Amino acid sequence: MFFKKTVIDEDTRLQYAREIDSLIGQDRSKEAHAKTKELEKLDKDAAGYFMSYFYYMGEVERENPREALKRIEGYIKRVPNDGNAYLMLGNIQQYFDDDEKSAAAYEKAVELGNTTALTLLAGIYYIHANEFRNQAAGTINPMQYADYNGKAISLYIRCLELYNKAFQANKKRMEDTDWQAYGRSADMMYIMSLNGELKKISKADLNRVNALSIGASVISGKANVQEQLYWRNQAVAVTAQMEEAGFGAMAEYFRASFCLYDCSKKKQEMLLNAKYHMDRAKELSASLNAEQKKSYPSDFNDVLQMYDKMNRQLGKAMQNRLRGGELPQLALDYLSDRVPGIEENRTFADYLARVKSGEVITEQKASNTGKKKGLFGKFF
């Protein structure tokens, strides 16, 4: 004899969910668990979300990820349009190191309006974009290069979209690691456009949901100037969001990086901009929290090394330009309503005064090669 599962009405289910959620929020786990077991007697699958939580977190119940997975899957069949449930499913799949399934769950959570899943999904895609980029750098087979690099491009674009949505939803929720991945994604798209590695990306491509297995087509050859400007403007917009969210020092390192990418013997003036941003990053570092002070500036050692290289090559020319009255063209690197004045950067203003007085300044090496190297160092 088969027993049919009992199913309570939606209003009752929601009332239980609110009460249990409130108890968990008050750290009254035992009471929340008791209420969940009460719900389970009425409708087992309706209680699946909270039972999954208890098994996954190891609260009241002994930690059991497999049981947590079973319960959340049962709940999703019962309540298929709950974004929080797909967030939970994605977290559990991460426990089992299944990025494909975790990303699919987070994608569904995002589709259903769960904003917490935005950065979690972007984080998965960012890691895989870097892996594909490294695989592209490690092959001499043109077909494999196009495949790996195409997947990396597709995922970097998706990261930019997801992090931007996360910023719009709640910029304070984004952490240091989120901002670094966001900035690196923008930087990578710009440097690849300079290298002529991208096809022209249409608006439809930017809004496309990209799975880990999907890549954009790539081309080789002469870079497209319009395309370069598009991706540089994207990087400028990302650094403006960083600064708005309180990550000003990080924003300056990224501004320095894309100025350094622009810098060459034919475009020596961009070293002026890079110098300004490096000095401003130092000044803003005073406001870093304790954790950031442990890792900055080594997190951006790749940028420091690029600056050292260009400064060795063009440092004297930069000082000659400053003596001649040339100043950084900061409007290139900030949104039009946020361009700082030269005098706001006291370190750079002091450097400028010393150079104009005729002093020849030899800067100390900016990079710290004894510390970890940034992601750029892996690629270039």
Side-chain angles (χ1 to χ4, degrees), residues 168-272:
Q168 301 300 334
N170 186 354
K171 62 188 176 187
K172 291 183 179 179
R173 186 184 291 168
M174 292 177 67
E175 299 178 353
D176 189 275
T177 51
D178 298 322
W179 285 110
Q180 289 204 37
Y182 193 12
R184 296 283 185 183
S185 296
D187 231 52
M188 285 302 301
M189 291 306 297
Y190 181 50
I191 189 62
M192 285 192 281
S193 74
L194 291 176
N195 291 343
E197 297 180 68
L198 312 180
K199 71 171 185 175
K200 187 175 182 181
I201 305 294
S202 70
K203 200 167 186 181
D205 290 323
L206 290 173
N207 294 326
R208 187 178 67 233
V209 174
N210 300 300
L212 291 174
S213 59
I214 298 175
S217 299
V218 295
I219 59 171
S220 59
K222 191 175 180 180
N224 182 294
V225 175
Q226 259 188 323
E227 183 182 281
Q228 292 172 11
L229 182 60
Y230 173 82
W231 290 111
R232 196 182 199 285
N233 287 340
Q234 290 295 306
V236 168
V238 169
T239 54
Q241 289 178 336
M242 276 181 199
E243 199 154 39
E244 186 178 333
F247 291 82
M250 184 188 296
E252 292 302 334
Y253 281 119
F254 279 116
R255 287 179 180 124
S257 73
F258 52 72
C259 288
L260 289 165
Y261 290 142
D262 293 340
C263 194
S264 66
K265 288 184 178 179
K266 291 183 179 179
K267 295 181 70 176
Q268 298 176 5
E269 66 276 8
M270 295 312 298
L271 188 57
L272 299 177

Side-chain angles (χ1 to χ4, degrees), residues 5 45-46 48 69-79:
K5 289 183 179 180
D45 288 337
L69 180 61
K70 178 182 173 182
R71 294 303 185 96
I72 199 63
E73 287 175 338
Y75 175 80
I76 287 172
K77 287 179 183 177
R78 169 72 173 78
V79 188

Side-chain angles (χ1 to χ4, degrees), residues 68-308:
L69 180 61
K70 178 182 173 182
R71 294 303 185 96
I72 199 63
E73 287 175 338
Y75 175 80
I76 287 172
K77 287 179 183 177
R78 169 72 173 78
V79 188
N81 295 316
D82 187 339
N84 290 332
Y86 283 98
L87 176 67
M88 176 74 78
L89 176 61
N91 290 341
I92 295 170
Q93 295 291 9
Q94 278 285 282
Y95 178 88
F96 292 111
D97 293 322
D98 195 329
D99 281 354
E100 288 276 1
K101 289 182 179 179
S102 187
Y106 288 146
E107 286 280 14
K108 187 65 177 177
V110 167
E111 180 188 322
L112 292 170
N114 187 293
T115 57
T116 302
L118 289 165
T119 54
L120 296 172
L121 178 59
I124 292 174
Y125 285 161
Y126 176 68
I127 290 169
H128 283 275
N130 291 334
E131 289 173 350
F132 285 130
R133 181 68 173 150
N134 282 328
Q135 286 174 307
T139 182
I140 58 173
N141 183 310
M143 294 297 290
Q144 284 186 340
Y145 175 86
D147 178 49
Y148 292 142
N149 216 37
K151 289 173 181 175
I153 290 165
S154 183
L155 292 172
Y156 283 129
I157 290 171
R158 183 68 170 134
C159 284
L160 291 173
E161 179 189 0
L162 290 165
Y163 282 125
N164 181 55
K165 286 183 177 179
F167 172 82
Q168 301 300 334
N170 186 354
K171 62 188 176 187
K172 291 183 179 179
R173 186 184 291 168
M174 292 177 67
E175 299 178 353
D176 189 275
T177 51
D178 298 322
W179 285 110
Q180 289 204 37
Y182 193 12
R184 296 283 185 183
S185 296
D187 231 52
M188 285 302 301
M189 291 306 297
Y190 181 50
I191 189 62
M192 285 192 281
S193 74
L194 291 176
N195 291 343
E197 297 180 68
L198 312 180
K199 71 171 185 175
K200 187 175 182 181
I201 305 294
S202 70
K203 200 167 186 181
D205 290 323
L206 290 173
N207 294 326
R208 187 178 67 233
V209 174
N210 300 300
L212 291 174
S213 59
I214 298 175
S217 299
V218 295
I219 59 171
S220 59
K222 191 175 180 180
N224 182 294
V225 175
Q226 259 188 323
E227 183 182 281
Q228 292 172 11
L229 182 60
Y230 173 82
W231 290 111
R232 196 182 199 285
N233 287 340
Q234 290 295 306
V236 168
V238 169
T239 54
Q241 289 178 336
M242 276 181 199
E243 199 154 39
E244 186 178 333
F247 291 82
M250 184 188 296
E252 292 302 334
Y253 281 119
F254 279 116
R255 287 179 180 124
S257 73
F258 52 72
C259 288
L260 289 165
Y261 290 142
D262 293 340
C263 194
S264 66
K265 288 184 178 179
K266 291 183 179 179
K267 295 181 70 176
Q268 298 176 5
E269 66 276 8
M270 295 312 298
L271 188 57
L272 299 177
N273 288 42
K275 167 65 177 171
Y276 179 90
H277 299 309
M278 294 294 284
D279 284 350
R280 193 162 187 246
K282 290 176 187 175
E283 288 199 347
L284 294 173
S285 292
S287 64
L288 297 176
N289 62 40
E291 186 176 339
Q292 289 170 327
K293 284 179 179 177
K294 287 180 182 178
S295 61
Y296 286 28
S298 61
D299 283 346
F300 302 98
N301 206 38
D302 52 314
V303 182
L304 303 178
Q305 288 176 3
M306 282 193 291
Y307 178 75
D308 285 338

